Amino acid sequence: MKTSQAQSHPLDPLLRTDRIPHIWCPGCGIGTAFATCLNAMKDSGIDLVQTAMVSGIGCSGRGAGYVKLDSYHTTHGRAIPFATGLKLANPKLNVVVFSGDGDLLAIGGNHFIHAARRNMDITVVCVNNFNYGMTGGQVAATTPHLAKTTTTPVGNPENPFNAPLLAYASGATYVARWTILHARDLTESITEALLHPGFSFVEVLSPCPVNYGRRNRIKPMDMLKIFREKTIIRNDARPTELDLDFDKGIVLGKFVHDTDRPSCVELYDKTCRPQER
Amino acid sequence: MNFWRVPLDAHEVDVPRGEVHILEERCKGCGYCIEFCPKHVLGVSKKFNAKGYHPPQVVKPEECVNCHYCEVICPEFAIFSVPVEEEEQDARGGDLSA
């Protein structure tokens, strides 16, 4: 085996390599989700000079700091409003939101709903690691029922968000869910989402070994095995059947792909900027 | 490649060959590439990198089919594969039934 050739990783041109190795823990899936996102950006053939990545706060929020494109690390939960602003100010820009479940679905929940309602032409990649990892593993809106976290030591009494249903019900026109183990399907989905005109939402299930995994006695490798064994790929499944329940099995796939609804920018131009006669 | 019977067009199929490159200093030893390599090309090495993790090492270099799965599953941008040149591939032979 020749390893002497001085070659660099194929994603290095898209990374701020001086910041690598990144801060994500060993076994954390955010790195994989981030790499698939960058691969999808490369595969989709979009103009990367006209692309901006927006992140909120949290472990996944660090994504914007590692990508060597225009990027924007925003305040907690406000990644989508900042992205909406970018897109409205410059409709030619491809705007990708890369953030976590706590940021997008809990503190930024209403922004998420309303961006989906407007069918804002942005791509949202939501890394779901089932808890608030950066702040010490507190219960989140996506923690499965009975899972242990710092703030639910006897198990989570609540039910988690069905994020694809939330996106679909709010009006998102592209909805998919994968895990980091399904990296190829995930890359394909993010590529489609980037090329889709309208609000695209891709949920990525990811292990959090240090906070969620440790408290639930799941080693990172076991979490990936759970992702392999307890998931069912069913494209076009009904969004109401996508509960985040590992006992029932988690449904993965591409659920919604609606190309008929006009996007926010199109509707705005039609209504407020009528063609000059 | 292991088949329960050799496909009828096996002699026409070119199995791609790849070469795995490991950037050891980036590795955090999660072991995903080792576990999920479909051809079991990788194993844990005994050596440590500067941060004290065991990076993977290539144990079966001739098995790699350049599927890039290690490259996409690695959370650390620490491993990638490149295709092996055509001439080299002919010399190694492409025996599917092996």
Side-chain angles (χ1 to χ4, degrees):
Chain A
M1 179 63 38
K2 287 169 287 177
T3 44
S4 54
Q5 287 160 284
Q7 272 180 315
S8 63
H9 194 279
L11 286 176
D12 273 0
L14 283 177
L15 289 171
R16 294 181 205 259
T17 42
D18 52 326
R19 296 188 175 188
I20 303 288
H22 49 61
I23 61 148
W24 296 317
C25 312
C28 174
I30 300 171
T32 308
F34 187 58
T36 47
C37 191
L38 296 183
N39 273 321
M41 282 178 174
K42 257 170 68 177
D43 293 353
S44 64
I46 55 172
D47 183 5
L48 293 178
V49 178
Q50 286 289 321
T51 303
M53 188 182 255
V54 186
S55 291
I57 299 296
C59 294
S60 336
R62 309 285 301 203
Y66 295 125
V67 68
K68 205 159 135 191
L69 302 171
D70 289 343
S71 62
Y72 204 173
H73 192 185
T74 69
T75 47
H76 196 7
R78 276 55 173 157
I80 289 178
F82 280 92
T84 304
L86 284 178
K87 185 71 188 179
L88 287 176
N90 182 3
K92 278 187 242 155
L93 208 62
N94 302 299
V95 184
V96 184
V97 176
F98 182 88
S99 204
D101 54 310
D103 187 72
L104 290 172
L105 303 174
I107 187 169
N110 266 294
H111 299 304
F112 176 82
I113 293 170
H114 288 284
R117 171 179 65 81
R118 294 186 185 114
N119 200 20
M120 201 63 228
D121 186 8
I122 55 179
T123 304
V124 178
V125 180
C126 173
V127 182
N128 181 355
N129 58 6
F130 315 112
N131 73 130
Y132 285 99
M134 185 169 267
T135 49
Q138 290 83 359
V139 67
T142 46
T143 308
H145 182 49
L146 299 179
K148 292 192 174 82
T149 63
T150 328
T151 44
T152 57
V154 292
N156 180 19
E158 298 165 6
N159 277 316
F161 252 141
N162 175 347
L165 174 63
L166 178 72
Y168 171 67
S170 314
T173 44
Y174 185 94
V175 180
R177 174 200 268 163
W178 296 103
T179 77
I180 61 146
L181 188 65
H182 302 78
R184 287 195 202 282
D185 302 284
L186 176 60
T187 312
E188 198 185 298
S189 251
I190 300 178
T191 309
E192 278 178 17
L194 287 166
L195 298 173
H196 174 76
F199 190 85
S200 341
F201 173 68
V202 182
E203 185 186 11
V204 190
L205 305 184
S206 149
C208 175
V210 169
N211 278 312
Y212 183 80
R214 182 162 54 98
R215 294 200 170 80
N216 291 284
R217 313 251 172 230
I218 308 171
K219 294 240 153 61
M221 199 67 85
D222 298 333
M223 195 68 188
L224 260 66
K225 284 177 186 161
I226 291 172
F227 286 165
R228 184 164 62 187
E229 282 148 24
K230 301 270 180 176
T231 54
I232 309 149
I233 297 176
R234 203 187 297 150
N235 289 320
D236 303 317
R238 287 176 56 199
T240 47
E241 292 165 359
L242 308 175
D243 290 324
L244 206 58
D245 183 346
F246 283 102
D247 296 327
K248 269 195 339 202
I250 292 181
V251 181
L252 307 176
K254 287 176 256 179
F255 309 122
V256 180
H257 196 173
D258 176 3
T259 46
D260 296 335
R261 268 187 76 205
S263 74
C264 178
V265 176
E266 275 172 52
L267 280 177
Y268 184 85
D269 285 350
K270 217 161 113 188
T271 317
C272 308
R273 291 175 181 148
Q275 295 283 307
E276 284 169 25
R277 265 156 273 164
Chain B
M1 214 173 274
N2 293 320
F3 297 106
W4 60 275
R5 72 173 174 79
V6 179
L8 295 174
D9 61 347
H11 60 282
E12 294 166 17
V13 178
D14 280 335
V15 179
R17 299 282 171 146
E19 190 178 61
V20 181
H21 292 258
I22 300 160
L23 306 170
E24 289 175 359
E25 291 314 313
R26 287 187 184 179
C27 180
K28 288 182 193 161
C30 66
Y32 291 168
C33 53
I34 301 170
E35 177 71 22
F36 294 105
C37 173
K39 304 295 279 178
H40 307 292
V41 170
L42 301 159
V44 191
S45 74
K46 285 209 171 100
K47 68 177 162 189
F48 294 96
N49 66 12
K51 286 183 183 264
Y53 297 108
H54 293 287
Q57 64 178 0
V58 180
V59 289
K60 286 189 263 178
E62 70 291 343
E63 288 281 299
C64 180
V65 292
N66 199 32
C67 75
H68 295 288
Y69 194 71
C70 53
E71 188 180 313
V72 290
I73 197 77
C74 177
E76 307 295 330
F77 309 98
I79 188 166
F80 60 98
S81 66
V82 290
V84 169
E85 303 298 316
E86 282 291 318
E87 305 82 50
E88 230 177 299
Q89 192 173 324
D90 290 342
R92 282 214 227 157
D95 191 6
L96 274 173
S97 56

